[in-house]
Amino acid sequence: MELSPKVKNILLLDSEGKRIAAKYYSDDWPTNTAKEAFEKAVFSKTQKTNARTEVEVTALENNIIVYKFVQDLHFFVTGGEEENELILASVLQGLFDAVNLLLRGSVDKREALDNLDLIFLCFDEIIDGGVVLETDANVIAEKAGINSFDPNAPLSEQTISQALAAAREHLTRSLMK
């Protein structure tokens, strides 16, 4: 019996069911075609629900899926049928809250695509090899490095998107003079 909770995948889909970001931790879907078919099945099963205020739970193909929708983004966390829904829900809520912090409250498809590197950092801080490491959004966002963002920090200590944002801000200021 496995003592630590396992996550099979984390999915971030748009309002049409297209993949924004996904990370698979299980060999249940060995090919990209199988992964896309699973994502389509998950989206089809959940698209008519109203999971905008609270996390919802469903079962599909011997998996438990917890999900939440925000504007044009659909967040999903999948675990095996033996996993605890509350733990999966806390993983999902931690992911959503961390992404909300990272995107400064503007959680939509465009912002997610612009900050995809930070979203993948969140995935990596939450899950390692399917094992849940962290669910506290503040810790996740801090480890992803955005809470301590300082535009004057050395480039070696900034993520690519942070460095580009700092350069854009510097260019804008210099053009305004």
Side-chain angles (χ1 to χ4, degrees):
M1 179 180 157
E2 227 12 82
L3 294 179
S4 60
K6 293 273 191 180
V7 171
K8 291 187 173 187
N9 64 44
I10 298 177
L11 306 173
L12 181 57
L13 306 178
D14 68 10
S15 58
E16 298 170 357
K18 305 275 190 266
R19 181 188 304 173
I20 303 283
K23 194 134 186 190
Y24 286 81
Y25 306 99
S26 166
D27 294 331
D28 291 3
W29 306 277
T31 65
N32 198 36
T33 305
K35 291 173 183 173
E36 289 173 352
F38 178 74
E39 291 166 15
K40 184 177 180 181
V42 167
F43 182 76
S44 296
K45 181 163 183 149
T46 60
Q47 71 179 348
K48 302 266 190 252
T49 62
N50 185 17
R52 298 213 177 267
T53 56
E54 292 184 22
V55 173
E56 297 287 333
V57 180
T58 191
L60 178 69
E61 300 173 4
N62 298 323
N63 295 301
I64 294 173
I65 302 163
V66 294
Y67 58 98
K68 184 173 184 168
F69 306 155
V70 180
Q71 293 189 32
D72 55 353
L73 292 178
H74 297 208
F75 292 80
F76 300 92
V77 173
T78 306
E81 62 187 346
E82 71 285 347
E83 293 301 333
N84 185 327
E85 295 90 354
L86 295 175
I87 291 175
L88 295 175
S90 70
V91 168
L92 178 66
Q93 194 63 49
L95 170 65
F96 170 74
D97 291 343
V99 168
N100 192 36
L101 285 170
L102 291 169
L103 301 182
R104 294 179 175 89
S106 178
V107 181
D108 61 22
K109 180 179 177 180
R110 182 170 178 247
E111 284 295 316
L113 289 171
D114 287 346
N115 295 286
L116 206 51
D117 58 336
L118 297 175
I119 291 173
F120 277 109
L121 282 173
C122 280
F123 287 4
D124 293 341
E125 292 299 332
I126 296 169
I127 306 291
D128 183 24
V131 177
V132 178
L133 298 177
E134 184 64 63
T135 59
D136 183 332
N138 292 319
V139 172
I140 296 163
E142 183 179 324
K143 286 183 178 180
I146 196 68
N147 280 353
S148 60
F149 176 60
D150 177 9
N152 299 320
L155 285 178
S156 61
E157 295 178 11
Q158 296 180 10
T159 65
I160 292 171
S161 63
Q162 289 172 333
L164 288 173
R168 186 174 30 236
E169 183 180 324
H170 181 51
L171 178 64
T172 304
R173 271 190 271 139
S174 66
L175 290 174
M176 295 289 194
K177 289 181 180 178

